Amino acid sequence: MTYIAKPALHHPTLEKNRVGYTRRDYEGKISTLCAGCGHDSISAAIIQACWELDIEPHRVAKLSGIGCSSKTPDYFLGASHGFNTVHGRMPSVLTGANLANRDLLYLGVSGDGDSASIGLGQFAHAMRRGVRMAYIVENNGVYGLTKGQFSATADSGSKSKKGVVNSDSPVDLVAMALQLGATYVGRSFSGNKEQLVPLIKGAMAHGGAAFIDVISPCVAFNNHPGSTKSYDYVREHNEAVSRIDFITAREEITAQAAPGEVVDVRQHDGSLLRLRSLHPDYDATDRYAAMAFMQEHQARGEVVTGLLYVDPLATDLHTALNTTARPLNTLEAGDLCPGVKLLDRINASLR
């Protein structure tokens, strides 16, 4: 429980990363979620990704909305900046924080109820504006805090725990992110840490709007036969398009495999995404082909996972607005007020 503090002492033999932190330093409070909840696995993946990236915890700002998923930032990166917003409003608060201080790394954590219902408009505008962040949706297809009603991402034809069949069409946040202009789009499964950790690492290093939809089974209300968000269903219907390796800019690039088997995508900070295609004809740099591929396999009842799309030339909202390289929250009165002569010159140019 959260009132039970984790021991502050670390074993002296724990391995440290390049900036001197152990994996324990990236943890948070003890989780209060149900035992076996997929969200805890996502928290563990975020901890592992940030530790492997050598990120100093105080350089991260984590923001969330309302719901089981939005509780999880309390369980990782306890030494980072945090803001738990109101229901569905995380993207706009994160946008404001990003504009004020571009030096931080922004991690938005949300859920299918938080992002696909009341926050759908917020999600859409954050994607189309290219706000630089790693936006992770912990998607279980139900409202877990209010006892298991279908959420907007529940698949048509799926059954609730009580046997009710969902007749509504689902909101596909991955398809929306692709259509709205996100420059890094992936889908994963909370039970596949080998795939999820490098996906998160790539999103954290990306130079634009990065979105990852993580199917995360709710063991209390959506892990039964007939559910399309259960552990068994996702494992049986998973169709991975790629295996991704994340290589930091300071590491030597080793020899590649035969042409056509590996695609290297260099990101804005010099880091490298190495994609090993599991479908020979799949091109992760083609936005429209990715959308068609997803729809084709969705019609077969398959859950497509992996890095679905990446734009190696991504830009963000600061580039679009041509803001100063200095964080806006560090500018003083002298920087913000250029003086009467310069203002007169600007006004004269507009007449």
Side-chain angles (χ1 to χ4, degrees):
M1 309 306 289
T2 52
Y3 60 82
I4 302 176
K6 287 186 177 180
L9 296 176
H10 295 179
H11 196 279
T13 62
L14 287 179
E15 182 182 357
K16 294 183 178 180
N17 59 13
R18 293 175 185 266
V19 289
Y21 291 95
T22 69
R23 190 183 178 283
R24 282 285 313 278
D25 293 317
Y26 293 86
E27 296 178 357
K29 295 180 180 178
I30 296 174
S31 173
T32 60
L33 298 175
C34 303
C37 177
H39 294 2
D40 283 332
S41 297
I42 299 173
S43 294
I46 293 172
I47 290 168
Q48 187 68 26
C50 291
W51 181 73
E52 291 182 6
L53 283 175
D54 306 317
I55 294 173
E56 295 169 309
H58 64 269
R59 290 189 55 229
V60 177
K62 54 184 182 179
L63 292 91
S64 63
I66 296 295
C68 292
S69 58
S70 295
K71 293 171 60 179
T72 61
D74 206 26
Y75 311 144
F76 58 82
L77 296 177
S80 66
H81 306 279
F83 197 113
N84 185 230
T85 72
V86 294
H87 206 178
R89 298 326 192 254
M90 177 275 289
S92 56
V93 176
L94 187 150
T95 300
N98 182 290
L99 287 173
N101 188 355
R102 64 189 301 171
D103 282 351
L104 295 178
L105 297 172
Y106 289 91
L107 176 60
V109 178
S110 184
D112 42 303
D114 195 50
S115 281
S117 290
I118 191 170
L120 189 60
Q122 303 269 319
F123 165 80
H125 291 299
M127 292 296 102
R128 76 180 187 88
R129 287 172 179 151
V131 180
R132 185 183 174 188
M133 61 174 166
Y135 192 132
I136 298 175
V137 166
E138 300 177 348
N139 184 355
N140 56 23
V142 297
Y143 291 103
L145 286 182
T146 52
K147 305 300 181 283
Q149 304 94 327
F150 290 120
S151 81
T153 65
D155 294 307
S156 180
S158 62
K159 290 183 180 180
S160 71
K161 192 173 183 179
K162 294 182 178 179
V164 178
V165 177
N166 180 39
S167 59
D168 296 332
S169 297
V171 171
D172 189 337
L173 292 173
V174 166
M176 288 190 65
L178 284 167
Q179 191 274 327
L180 290 164
T183 49
Y184 182 106
V185 181
R187 173 175 277 148
S188 192
F189 172 48
S190 63
N192 189 351
K193 186 177 181 181
E194 185 180 27
Q195 182 190 63
L196 182 56
V197 170
L199 270 179
I200 294 173
K201 291 169 69 176
M204 294 290 288
H206 188 63
F211 175 72
I212 306 175
D213 177 46
V214 187
I215 299 174
S216 178
C218 173
V219 292
F221 299 109
N222 210 10
N223 194 39
H224 52 272
S227 165
T228 59
K229 296 287 192 291
S230 67
Y231 281 107
D232 287 342
Y233 184 91
V234 178
R235 288 186 178 123
E236 291 171 4
H237 296 81
N238 184 14
E239 185 66 25
V241 297
S242 60
R243 189 172 76 251
I244 177 176
D245 298 322
F246 182 86
I247 302 168
T248 57
R250 56 180 168 267
E251 292 187 16
E252 180 183 359
I253 306 303
T254 57
Q256 299 179 11
E261 295 182 3
V262 176
V263 176
D264 286 347
V265 180
R266 190 169 298 279
Q267 302 212 91
H268 79 290
D269 63 349
S271 59
L272 202 69
L273 292 171
R274 177 161 292 161
L275 301 176
R276 289 173 170 80
S277 179
L278 302 184
H279 286 264
D281 297 329
Y282 188 82
D283 182 3
T285 62
D286 187 331
R287 183 187 299 273
Y288 304 105
M291 295 171 70
F293 185 90
M294 281 183 49
Q295 292 172 353
E296 176 188 343
H297 285 263
Q298 186 178 30
R300 301 177 189 172
E302 295 172 345
V303 181
V304 178
T305 62
L307 180 58
L308 305 175
Y309 173 73
V310 61
D311 180 358
L313 302 176
T315 57
D316 69 347
L317 185 59
H318 283 280
T319 302
L321 297 178
N322 195 28
T323 60
T324 173
R326 284 178 58 189
L328 299 183
N329 66 348
T330 66
L331 300 180
E332 299 180 358
D335 303 308
L336 298 171
C337 184
V340 175
K341 290 184 178 180
L342 182 56
L343 286 175
D344 287 343
R345 194 187 314 158
I346 293 172
N347 288 333
S349 70
L350 298 174
R351 291 193 178 98

